Amino acid sequence: MRNLMLETKEIAALFNLIDDPDEEVYSTVSQRITDFGTNIIPNLENLWENTLREDVQERIEILIHKLHYSDLVNDIAQWNSSAYNDLLFGALLVSKFQYPELQTTPVLQEIEKIRRNVWLELNSFLTPLEQANVITSIIYNYYNLKGAEITYANPDDFLLHKVLQTKKGNTLSNGVLYLVLAALLDIPVKAINVPKHFVLAYFKKDYDAAVHKGNPQQYIQFYVDATTGQPFSHKDIELYFKRISVPIASFYFRPISNKRIIQMLVEELAKCFMAPKVQYKQEELLKLAALLD
């Protein structure tokens, strides 16, 4: 249900100036409108519905976006400073950049359904590789998730709730889903720093990055390609480093924090908005990424 519309003479006067051709006047007007916060959105939506001019509708859309963005900045800052940076919650905040009205309950229910399907197939006698095969079988075969190359033509490929709806994501969004499920099932899977690729690593159960200061690679049992869910070996990863002509170093095998994963997701999503008309979105996303430093 919509919020009740705010009604003041000032709002009526500001709305009369939304179509002002003078950029300076419009800049002042838009700043004053955004000062009202998200409570003014129903008024803007009403104005949009009763406006025939496309250029004015476009200005209204940008104003609504700015208001939602301002709220998102606060939410990301709170998530960033929280004691535990929950990966699922962080990914849903990224989705809200494009879909500010997103209802998270259906997403959480869908993830719980997948988690339960995986959990029913797991037991304590399975080896880590067998566990990985169960997760892959449920997500990519039974659930039918498809993996696509990273392209920047479709922002939805980076957004977790859209990946669940369309059953198609790229290495980053599919990887986030895999990591979320692994965390819910208490399976020690982490994303690692492998260059030009989002790789997941199955660590030994007792591995603790804060305690074990040596080369993390010795605690990794095998790797998973996040795009397809297929496991691969230490030998495969060595061949990959050889192919891209990068010397292997322990740095590449360190687990990436949830904060860094969300930052990567935001940085990659920003590349979808290169066109001049939407470049303001790219700038906004890069500001969000900077908040996570």
Side-chain angles (χ1 to χ4, degrees), residues 18 26 30 33-35 37-42 44-45 48 56-75 93-101 155 159 266 269-270 273 277-288:
I18 269 185
Y26 172 65
S30 67
I33 289 171
T34 53
D35 287 346
T38 48
N39 287 341
I40 204 172
I41 287 176
L44 287 163
E45 288 172 339
W48 189 94
V56 177
Q57 284 184 329
E58 211 168 278
R59 279 185 167 183
I60 295 166
E61 284 164 15
I62 290 171
L63 284 168
I64 291 172
H65 173 79
K66 274 185 180 170
L67 287 157
H68 283 307
Y69 175 72
S70 177
D71 268 14
L72 184 60
V73 168
N74 294 332
D75 290 344
L93 285 178
V94 178
S95 284
K96 284 192 171 188
F97 179 78
Q98 279 292 86
Y99 296 91
E101 308 286 354
L159 307 178
V266 172
L269 179 61
F273 302 102
K277 206 173 180 182
V278 288
Q279 216 162 4
Y280 70 94
K281 287 192 172 188
Q282 186 181 59
E283 288 160 15
E284 287 172 345
L285 284 161
L286 293 175
K287 280 179 191 164
L288 286 180

Side-chain angles (χ1 to χ4, degrees), residues 244-262:
I244 61 170
S245 305
V246 173
I248 287 185
S250 63
F251 163 78
Y252 297 121
F253 300 94
R254 280 188 204 140
I256 308 173
S257 69
N258 287 351
K259 203 182 278 195
R260 177 63 190 134
I261 291 168
I262 295 302

Side-chain angles (χ1 to χ4, degrees), residues 86-105:
D86 183 82
L87 186 61
L88 174 55
F89 186 39
L92 292 177
L93 285 178
V94 178
S95 284
K96 284 192 171 188
F97 179 78
Q98 279 292 86
Y99 296 91
E101 308 286 354
L102 173 67
Q103 298 299 308
T104 56
T105 305

Side-chain angles (χ1 to χ4, degrees), residues 178-198:
Y178 197 112
L179 287 165
V180 163
L181 288 165
L184 290 170
L185 293 156
D186 199 27
I187 293 172
V189 181
K190 306 282 179 198
I192 56 172
N193 271 305
V194 171
K196 302 177 187 174
H197 213 38
F198 193 66

Side-chain angles (χ1 to χ4, degrees), residues 13-29:
L14 288 166
F15 281 8
N16 279 331
L17 293 168
I18 269 185
D19 62 352
D20 199 295
D22 186 322
E23 279 300 324
E24 213 167 300
V25 172
Y26 172 65
S27 177
T28 307
V29 167

Side-chain angles (χ1 to χ4, degrees), residues 158-174:
F158 292 92
L159 307 178
L160 186 61
H161 80 289
K162 279 291 174 187
V163 170
L164 290 167
Q165 278 175 19
T166 62
K167 294 187 168 45
K168 179 177 79 79
N170 54 42
T171 184
L172 205 44
S173 51
N174 284 2

